[in-house]
Amino acid sequence: MKLRMFGVLLLLVFGVIGCALLQEARPIEIPASRLSCAQNPEMVDGDLSTIGTFASKGSIKKEFVRNLRYAPRQYQRRVIGSLKTETLIKLDAPTYIKYIEVYPASTIPNFALDTTPEEKSSKWTLSFRAVEDKRAQRVEGSLPVRFQIERRVLYLRLTANALEDSDNVSHGNEIGELRIPLKGSSIREIKFYGRQ
């Protein structure tokens, strides 16, 4: 008798949970007309055939250096400028975002997202909160990658490390010196999904 009662209770609990899951509203795609990106409008224009590229401001210098007077020379690698690239996407109003999908067009090393629901004012800068889902991972391939946001967003900041542009390496004045320019990663589209 107790076992039968337990079975009925278990069936009732799973039935209620199942109905609740089925009734949860499916996320809807936020139209591209509600998104803007001054640095890379191609990333949010709704067209998968256009590509937005992060702007990079740096290069890598590789050279032989002697640290001590009698020590052998060692190869050293230094970043001149900045390895970090970023872009900022703004929604037309603070909106609850369930997740975003990023459609990469190149490798994106050390990719990270940060959000804020606040509007920028002339007196202070924006205070961003990190998105922990897949933080600082390397995004590769051409398939979309989903990032769980689950909060109100007005601004979404995307950051990534620049890539080495090995096709445009130049040789410096010193023997063995190389300068490798940095180039930004590319994204075909970023789609936002929110509540109905």
Side-chain angles (χ1 to χ4, degrees):
M1 181 73 170
K2 287 183 180 181
L3 188 59
R4 186 178 300 192
M5 193 76 134
F6 179 72
V8 170
L9 184 61
L10 195 60
L11 184 62
L12 183 63
V13 168
F14 281 120
V16 169
I17 291 173
C19 287
L21 288 175
L22 288 174
Q23 289 180 356
E24 184 179 323
R26 295 189 62 163
I28 58 164
E29 184 177 344
I30 306 294
S33 60
R34 293 192 52 205
L35 306 170
S36 63
C37 181
Q39 301 104 326
N40 288 299
E42 301 88 1
M43 289 184 185
V44 292
D45 63 0
D47 185 358
L48 286 171
S49 65
T50 60
I51 295 175
T53 302
F54 288 92
S56 65
K57 298 172 185 164
S59 63
I60 294 175
K61 183 178 180 181
K62 292 183 178 181
E63 62 188 332
F64 283 107
V65 234
R66 186 171 289 172
N67 291 335
L68 299 171
R69 187 173 194 162
Y70 300 107
R73 295 187 327 164
Q74 297 177 344
Y75 208 58
Q76 186 180 55
R77 180 183 185 271
R78 288 187 303 147
V79 175
I80 310 294
S82 177
L83 187 61
K84 184 178 172 181
T85 62
E86 74 174 40
T87 195
L88 197 64
I89 297 172
K90 183 180 181 190
L91 284 93
D92 61 350
T95 306
Y96 180 86
I97 301 298
K98 179 86 173 146
Y99 61 87
I100 65 165
E101 288 181 342
V102 175
Y103 291 75
S106 73
T107 299
I108 310 171
N110 204 27
F111 190 59
L113 304 170
D114 302 284
T115 68
T116 184
E118 303 167 345
E119 182 61 70
K120 192 174 182 179
S121 79
S122 59
K123 295 179 183 176
W124 49 273
T125 58
L126 295 172
S127 57
F128 283 92
R129 186 173 144 209
V131 173
E132 297 301 332
D133 187 31
K134 302 178 191 75
R135 186 146 188 98
Q137 285 191 358
R138 184 179 188 89
V139 176
E140 295 181 299
S142 58
L143 296 176
V145 179
R146 183 177 289 184
F147 293 86
Q148 296 297 324
I149 307 292
E150 298 181 7
R151 65 180 80 144
R152 284 173 53 81
V153 175
L154 180 61
Y155 288 98
L156 175 73
R157 180 175 64 193
L158 297 82
T159 58
N161 285 354
L163 301 165
E164 292 185 14
D165 186 0
S166 54
D167 294 336
N168 294 306
V169 176
S170 63
H171 298 277
N173 298 333
E174 300 174 25
I175 297 173
E177 180 185 308
L178 296 174
R179 282 206 180 243
I180 305 168
L182 295 173
K183 62 181 181 179
S185 300
S186 298
I187 294 176
R188 287 184 291 141
E189 194 67 32
I190 299 172
K191 295 185 178 184
F192 287 66
Y193 293 85
R195 291 179 178 150
Q196 286 185 343

